[in-house]
Amino acid sequence: MSPELVSAAADVVRSAERIVVLTGAGISTDSGIPDFRGPNGLWTKNPAAEKASDIRFYLGDPEVRVAAWQNRLNTPAWTAEPNRGHGAIVELERRGQLHAVVTQNIDGLHQKAGNDPDTVIEVHGTVWFTRCWDCDDRRPMAESLDRVRAGEADPPCLACGGILKSDTISFGQALVPEVIERAMTVSDECDVILAVGSTLSVFPAANCVPRAKAGGARVIIVNGAETAMDRYADWLLVGQIGEILPALVGV
Ligand SMILES: [Zn+2]
């Protein structure tokens, strides 16, 4: 990829007023968060983790939940640090150009990097909170992890005794309609959509790209490999996200 291509895309970013950044797993791999399905992916290495992420097994089998809580104690997100890619997105917000971040990631790294939590739309939820399956009670994950360390193998909801899980969207679980609606609305409203580190093959999040394009936004795709939405790209930048994104933003 030529420096001229990055430079030209950087001009588009510089003059943008309402940027939506759509992020996927690729932006977090530099922070040590494993991708789910890649060659070193979590599920490739540990099929049991995939089973725990299916809502039917999770709700139906206490042993699956006990194993899931043990895994949560060591979730890489607790210690991961944001990288230069996350930092570049914070810079866009500092300059007043960021309309929203729509992320497929559940690691909370955009907020940890310094983005205003109100600008981050987490379409697949977050590992930093728990939600009760029965009463919807939502609390910081740390509280439940303390209970696990103190000996509760499968801590029930403190409000109603129901089953707790991380506030993420498991397989077989419905997305949150209000969250998806907001992601689509900001995509309609933006003048540039910057899709970073996503294969753009998981819906409805991937729909942000054609929605933005239909609304007249220019489309910049940054990823380590081809995506399912490359045909929409005005600028297609294939390579190291941690290098390209800071160059695009000029930080
Ligand atoms: Zn409850």
Side-chain angles (χ1 to χ4, degrees):
M1 188 189 45
S2 73
E4 290 78 14
L5 189 61
V6 176
S7 172
D11 287 341
V12 173
V13 170
R14 196 174 305 115
S15 59
E17 294 177 354
R18 293 161 77 79
I19 301 174
V20 165
V21 184
L22 170 63
T23 62
I27 196 171
S28 291
T29 48
D30 282 350
S31 294
I33 306 276
D35 197 352
F36 288 112
R37 296 185 187 281
N40 293 310
L42 209 55
W43 293 340
T44 315
K45 286 180 168 174
N46 180 8
E50 182 164 12
K51 191 174 176 183
S53 72
D54 186 308
I55 193 66
R56 290 160 297 182
F57 292 118
Y58 188 84
L59 295 176
D61 187 345
E63 285 183 27
V64 169
R65 294 198 296 276
V66 168
W69 282 109
Q70 287 301 311
N71 279 331
R72 285 179 191 131
L73 289 174
N74 301 306
T75 294
W78 308 149
T79 52
E81 292 298 329
N83 61 61
R84 292 182 66 209
H86 296 100
I89 299 169
V90 174
E91 176 62 16
L92 291 176
E93 181 174 337
R94 199 188 62 76
R95 293 178 189 167
Q97 293 179 283
L98 184 70
H99 190 39
V101 178
V102 178
T103 187
Q104 299 170 280
N105 299 335
I106 56 177
D107 53 38
L109 285 177
H110 291 298
Q111 295 92 324
K112 200 170 185 178
N115 279 121
D116 181 342
D118 289 340
T119 71
V120 182
I121 303 169
E122 296 172 306
V123 292
H124 295 158
T126 174
V127 293
W128 288 90
F129 286 83
T130 56
R131 192 180 286 275
C132 173
W133 186 254
D134 296 304
C135 77
D136 251 11
D137 186 61
R138 190 175 189 258
R139 297 173 192 237
M141 173 62 80
E143 294 179 14
S144 293
L145 294 183
D146 284 345
R147 295 170 65 193
V148 174
R149 283 189 204 95
E152 292 184 73
D154 178 21
C157 172
L158 292 172
C160 79
I163 293 174
L164 288 186
K165 67 182 286 290
S166 66
D167 191 16
T168 53
I169 305 295
S170 299
F171 281 96
Q173 184 177 350
L175 296 156
V176 181
E178 296 79 21
V179 174
I180 302 306
E181 182 60 34
R182 195 177 157 216
M184 294 305 141
T185 300
V186 297
S187 300
D188 292 340
E189 294 167 342
C190 69
D191 60 358
V192 169
I193 188 163
L194 182 53
V196 183
S198 171
T199 58
L200 300 175
S201 57
V202 177
F203 292 89
N207 272 334
C208 289
V209 172
R211 287 284 289 252
K213 183 88 173 182
R218 279 167 295 179
V219 177
I220 302 173
I221 295 179
V222 181
N223 198 36
E226 66 178 19
T227 81
M229 295 284 171
D230 285 357
R231 66 188 179 280
Y232 291 102
D234 297 296
W235 308 95
L236 187 58
L237 308 175
V238 182
Q240 287 289 329
I241 294 164
E243 303 293 324
I244 297 171
L245 198 49
L248 268 186
V249 174
V251 289

